[in-house]
Amino acid sequence: MKLDRLGDFQRTHRNGDLRLDHAGQTVRLLGWCRRVRNLGSLVFLDLRDRWGLVQLVANEETADPELLAKLKAVRSEFVLAAEGVVAERESKNPNLATGDIEVRLTGLRILNTAAPLPFPLEDEGVGEDLRLTYRFLDLRRERLQRNLQLRSEVANLTRNHFRELDFIDVETPILTKSTPEGARDYLVPSRVHAGEFFALPQSPQLFKQLLQVSGFERYVQICRCFRDEDLRADRQPEFTQVDIEMSFVRQEDVQGVIEPLMVKLAKIIGQDVTAPFPRLPYRDAMAWYGSDKPDLRCGVKIQEVTDLFATSGFNLFRAAAESQGQRRVRALFFPGEAAGSLSRKALDAYQEQARQMGAGGLPYAKWGKDGLSSSFKKFLDEGAEAALKDHFHASGEGLMVFAVGTDAQTSKVLGDLRTKIAADLAPIEKDPSLSTLFHDKNAFAFLWVVDFPLLEWSEEAQRFVACHHPFTSPHPDDLDLLETDPGACRALAYDLVLNGFEVGGGSIRIHDAETQSRMFRIIGIGEAEARSKFGFLLDALAFGAPPHGGLALGLDRLVMLLAGVDNIREVIAFPKTAQARCLMTDAPGPVDERQLRELHLIPDARQTYRVGAVFFESAEDGVDPVKRGELRGQALQQIGQLTPRQAQGLVTLDPQGQILDAQSISGPTFDF
């Protein structure tokens, strides 16, 4: 098919902007054909651009024959330039923004054709691998275009927010030094410095601290970060952060800058959020919700019930009560008819989930229409049953599930089951107040989790490691515990949580070299290693570093939640798979041997020959027969350029016959 040229054709309107007010106007439109429908005397074409969809129509009885011929040649995803007159539709489409009008075609240009698509763009059931292989087509979908437009709006609003607050945008290096910050680094070999590597930044942490030492006071950057870690639905190997750092601040000051931004972003999707957000100490988050990023859309809390079983006949519970705090009995209570009528099959599924998380099982007590059923019913006399119901203020039907073990074990099991069971019950619970208690689908629940532990013990490394990163300031009240009881130290760290996802994290930083050196020693970084890896930071802290702190927001994750999707690949233009591959470009992939040699990742292929007659014997070894003659000739030419002294030695040649090295040795010489 012969294609038309765009020429001087210019768009007069965006497709999605046309309304009844434009009736009677001649318009010029550009875009892709979504579909063509031939209904006998009328031919309809849906034309799509970034701003929307509009219906074009031509009447076979009155349209120009050349126009009709082109129209009948058009297929899905052809690129078109169309001209026509806007008219009111006889049969309106209330589900389409342009559904009150149509454009009656007077001209059409076919700017490009399209091969048959590997999948229909309207099909929502396409496998993700196929979608990512043809991501340039996948991105034509309205949903993905809407997500990326939202992402752009979030980024622009964020930049304006910080500009209004007098932050300065500074770009920090992508090629930097590998430092121990938690996840594995992506390494970049240096061609110039053999055997040495750059690292891609996991975050601009050190650079933004150095900018505070430099006196910028308020820094912001929307930056790319890289972490070589196992991927999940809310993780990618490369991701985007909104990174800020401020001088002369407390954590309340940093939070006070972020909260108004979250209020603005929530308004984009019609959510009203009120600041200040709740502050929840880490200890309470784990005790009540079993998570350091609790989802407050579920109002059910974990409760301590150990003392209720101090004299129980149920050995598992009584033993925990007698363990003097080493083990506990903790429980969740879900009130209502839906919880009280859960089937044995559903309860068995929760049992299996608990076992997969390391629990021995999931004891339960359920009150339904037929009264009490329980996995330990024979140990629940009337008094024990009444005490349980009184503790949870249970007056009717409902379900209690229990976990026994250490705080960490029971938090893990009940923390996951809290949201799982609640999400299952919310749609089937008839009482609206209880349904909202289980899962308030309209909530946009921000909170700050604060007072994190500064350090945690690593069994694998047999030492303390930083919970956040080693530049986080200890709580002033806990400084004296650094050497004597490191595990008891709290950090001046704070995470911003939204609907069960951590969307940002930050801390007040260590701003003096002495405390930073103490911190390095506690986590097993000796003085020599500290100087080698962080000498520039220690030097900077010694030259008048101000108190400072900051935070990084995960832009991808935040946009994911604003868009109402459950995978950040839906808000990233060209994401990687869960196996960290780009299916569209087939990256990562092999590179040629020359590049590897230039980067000193494989040794140069070289041959060493004894100058003289012995050369011809040595040249036979390990040399491809096809290349043998060429190498001999090249070598002889090179040898002719050697000094007399070099001619009595060993000559090392590369595969192209170029001299890499020449060494003098004793022994006889030969004339050619």
Side-chain angles (χ1 to χ4, degrees):
M1 177 184 294
K2 184 179 179 181
L3 299 179
D4 299 315
R5 295 183 178 276
L6 181 63
D8 59 357
F9 188 101
Q10 289 187 316
R11 168 191 276 137
T12 61
H13 295 77
R14 303 185 303 193
N15 297 354
D17 292 344
L18 294 177
R19 299 291 186 273
L20 269 178
D21 293 344
H22 298 101
Q25 295 184 23
T26 297
V27 297
R28 287 185 160 193
L29 309 173
L30 295 164
W32 287 261
C33 171
R34 181 183 179 189
R35 62 176 174 169
V36 182
R37 291 162 291 152
N38 192 329
L39 302 183
S41 62
L42 296 177
V43 181
F44 294 95
L45 186 153
D46 293 335
L47 190 68
R48 182 192 72 242
D49 66 6
R50 198 187 103 194
W51 294 275
L53 188 77
V54 66
Q55 177 176 280
L56 314 181
V57 62
N59 189 320
E60 290 194 358
E61 297 177 359
T62 59
D64 181 81
E66 183 180 349
L67 169 62
L68 284 175
K70 286 187 176 181
L71 193 56
K72 291 181 178 181
V74 171
R75 298 291 181 267
S76 293
E77 300 307 309
F78 276 29
V79 185
L80 306 175
E83 184 173 5
V85 178
V86 179
E88 184 175 1
R89 285 174 64 164
E90 293 182 7
S91 178
K92 295 181 172 58
N93 183 351
N95 299 318
L96 190 65
T98 59
D100 290 339
I101 58 95
E102 62 190 10
V103 176
R104 294 175 181 169
L105 279 171
T106 58
L108 186 69
R109 301 187 191 187
I110 299 177
L111 304 178
N112 207 348
T113 60
L117 300 185
F119 55 86
L121 298 188
E122 294 80 17
D123 188 353
E124 294 297 326
V126 181
E128 188 175 56
D129 282 0
L130 187 60
R131 290 178 55 204
L132 293 181
T133 300
Y134 294 94
R135 187 63 165 183
F136 48 86
L137 294 177
D138 194 37
L139 286 170
R140 292 183 185 177
R141 296 172 186 256
E142 180 184 357
R143 176 169 52 85
L144 284 177
Q145 294 222 337
R146 186 171 61 246
N147 289 349
L148 291 183
Q149 289 171 21
L150 173 63
R151 182 187 179 107
S152 177
E153 190 172 353
V154 167
N156 288 330
L157 189 153
T158 299
R159 288 189 179 94
N160 290 337
H161 173 79
F162 287 108
R163 184 180 180 185
E164 291 168 1
L165 294 175
D166 206 22
F167 280 72
I168 181 170
D169 192 318
V170 183
E171 292 182 347
T172 52
I174 291 295
L175 296 177
T176 185
K177 186 180 181 68
S178 179
T179 56
E181 293 186 44
R184 287 181 295 272
D185 286 325
Y186 277 103
L187 300 178
V188 181
S190 170
R191 178 185 60 82
V192 178
H193 304 284
E196 297 184 353
F197 294 81
F198 292 106
L200 302 181
Q202 295 185 30
S203 78
Q205 180 61 48
L206 295 177
F207 290 106
K208 67 182 182 180
Q209 289 190 244
L210 294 175
L211 287 169
Q212 302 313 297
V213 179
S214 302
F216 284 92
E217 294 205 22
R218 289 193 163 202
Y219 143 93
V220 67
Q221 184 184 186
I222 296 182
C223 54
R224 300 293 280 170
C225 303
F226 308 85
R227 294 180 185 174
D228 186 5
E229 58 187 351
D230 297 332
L231 304 185
R232 297 197 298 257
D234 61 344
R235 281 184 182 172
Q236 281 279 290
E238 52 181 321
F239 56 96
T240 304
Q241 282 187 180
V242 180
D243 204 49
I244 72 164
E245 197 78 6
M246 305 163 63
S247 292
F248 308 111
V249 291
R250 308 156 301 159
Q251 72 176 26
E252 293 81 7
D253 301 313
V254 179
Q255 292 165 341
V257 165
I258 295 298
E259 289 178 343
L261 173 61
M262 295 301 108
V263 172
K264 293 176 185 177
L265 294 179
K267 284 182 179 178
I268 294 177
I269 61 166
Q271 287 281 357
D272 289 324
V273 172
T274 303
F277 304 152
R279 270 69 167 166
L280 185 66
Y282 169 85
R283 184 182 296 273
D284 290 343
M286 298 305 294
W288 297 344
Y289 304 107
S291 171
D292 60 359
K293 45 182 182 294
D295 188 346
L296 296 190
R297 291 175 300 175
C298 173
V300 176
K301 292 183 179 181
I302 299 171
Q303 297 196 41
E304 169 72 47
V305 294
T306 309
D307 291 345
L308 295 180
F309 297 97
T311 59
S312 173
F314 190 24
N315 291 337
L316 179 66
F317 285 2
R318 190 183 67 252
E322 294 172 349
S323 69
Q324 298 182 334
Q326 297 301 307
R327 291 164 60 80
R328 301 182 189 278
V329 184
R330 300 168 74 194
L332 295 166
F333 175 56
F334 300 91
E337 181 181 342
S341 60
L342 276 176
S343 67
R344 182 60 183 267
K345 181 180 179 181
L347 291 170
D348 287 345
Y350 297 140
Q351 290 260 11
E352 181 57 31
Q353 183 174 340
R355 290 190 182 97
Q356 290 176 2
M357 289 182 286
L362 189 70
Y364 70 89
K366 180 168 69 85
W367 288 269
K369 297 190 183 304
D370 298 326
L372 172 66
S373 62
S374 172
S375 58
F376 56 100
K377 184 175 182 178
K378 65 180 180 180
F379 302 109
L380 278 175
D381 57 27
E382 289 185 5
E385 181 183 350
L388 262 181
K389 296 180 76 171
D390 183 63
H391 180 86
F392 286 100
H393 306 290
S395 57
E397 297 181 61
L399 169 72
M400 293 179 196
V401 294
F402 300 83
V404 182
T406 64
D407 287 351
Q409 291 168 338
T410 54
S411 289
K412 179 177 177 58
V413 173
L414 296 180
D416 284 358
L417 285 173
R418 185 184 80 92
T419 51
K420 167 62 176 169
I421 298 175
D424 292 343
L425 293 175
I428 60 175
E429 174 54 56
K430 296 176 182 178
D431 184 337
S433 64
L434 290 181
S435 181
T436 301
L437 171 71
F438 298 150
H439 183 81
D440 186 353
K441 61 183 179 182
N442 296 317
F444 222 55
F446 283 104
L447 80 150
W448 293 100
V449 178
V450 299
D451 291 344
F452 281 88
L454 180 70
L455 302 158
E456 61 185 352
W457 180 256
S458 169
E459 289 293 339
E460 180 181 352
Q462 286 296 296
R463 62 178 176 85
F464 281 100
V465 296
C467 288
H468 279 66
H469 53 63
F471 318 111
T472 299
S473 178
H475 195 289
D477 295 343
D478 298 343
L479 270 173
D480 292 341
L481 300 174
L482 261 182
E483 283 80 13
T484 59
D485 191 3
C489 288
R490 292 168 295 165
L492 288 180
Y494 34 87
D495 281 358
L496 180 62
V497 177
L498 171 60
N499 290 357
F501 289 88
E502 177 196 333
V503 295
S507 66
I508 301 301
R509 323 301 186 188
I510 297 171
H511 72 278
D512 66 283
E514 180 184 352
T515 304
Q516 187 63 72
S517 295
R518 287 175 67 189
M519 184 67 165
F520 286 152
R521 287 195 297 272
I522 295 298
I523 62 175
I525 297 178
E527 184 175 350
E529 184 181 0
R531 288 304 311 176
S532 170
K533 295 181 176 177
F534 303 105
F536 62 94
L537 175 65
L538 294 171
D539 289 343
L541 296 181
F543 284 100
H548 59 281
L551 176 137
L553 294 168
L555 182 68
D556 314 286
R557 197 174 293 172
L558 187 55
V559 175
M560 177 188 79
L561 294 170
L562 291 169
V565 296
D566 57 7
N567 193 314
I568 61 171
R569 291 192 284 274
E570 298 299 308
V571 297
I572 297 174
F574 300 102
K576 307 292 188 294
T577 67
Q579 289 74 42
R581 294 196 66 86
C582 175
L583 297 179
M584 185 181 69
T585 62
D586 197 24
V591 297
D592 63 51
E593 190 175 304
R594 178 185 58 81
Q595 290 175 284
L596 296 176
R597 286 200 306 273
E598 286 179 346
L599 295 171
H600 315 286
L601 295 178
I602 62 172
D604 286 319
R606 54 177 66 189
Q607 295 285 337
T608 300
Y609 304 105
R610 183 76 172 268
V611 176
V614 181
F615 160 76
F616 296 104
E617 298 173 6
S618 301
E620 305 292 330
D621 299 332
V623 180
D624 182 69
V626 178
K627 298 289 186 182
R628 189 174 298 148
E630 297 178 13
L631 277 173
R632 288 177 179 175
Q634 292 165 356
L636 286 172
Q637 290 179 5
Q638 296 295 322
I639 289 169
Q641 301 173 18
L642 297 177
T643 65
R645 181 169 177 78
Q646 288 174 323
Q648 302 178 38
L650 293 174
V651 180
T652 302
L653 306 169
D654 68 11
Q656 286 70 47
Q658 300 299 310
I659 293 177
L660 298 174
D661 187 29
Q663 301 178 28
S664 297
I665 61 170
S666 59
T669 59
F670 302 88
D671 294 327
F672 293 99

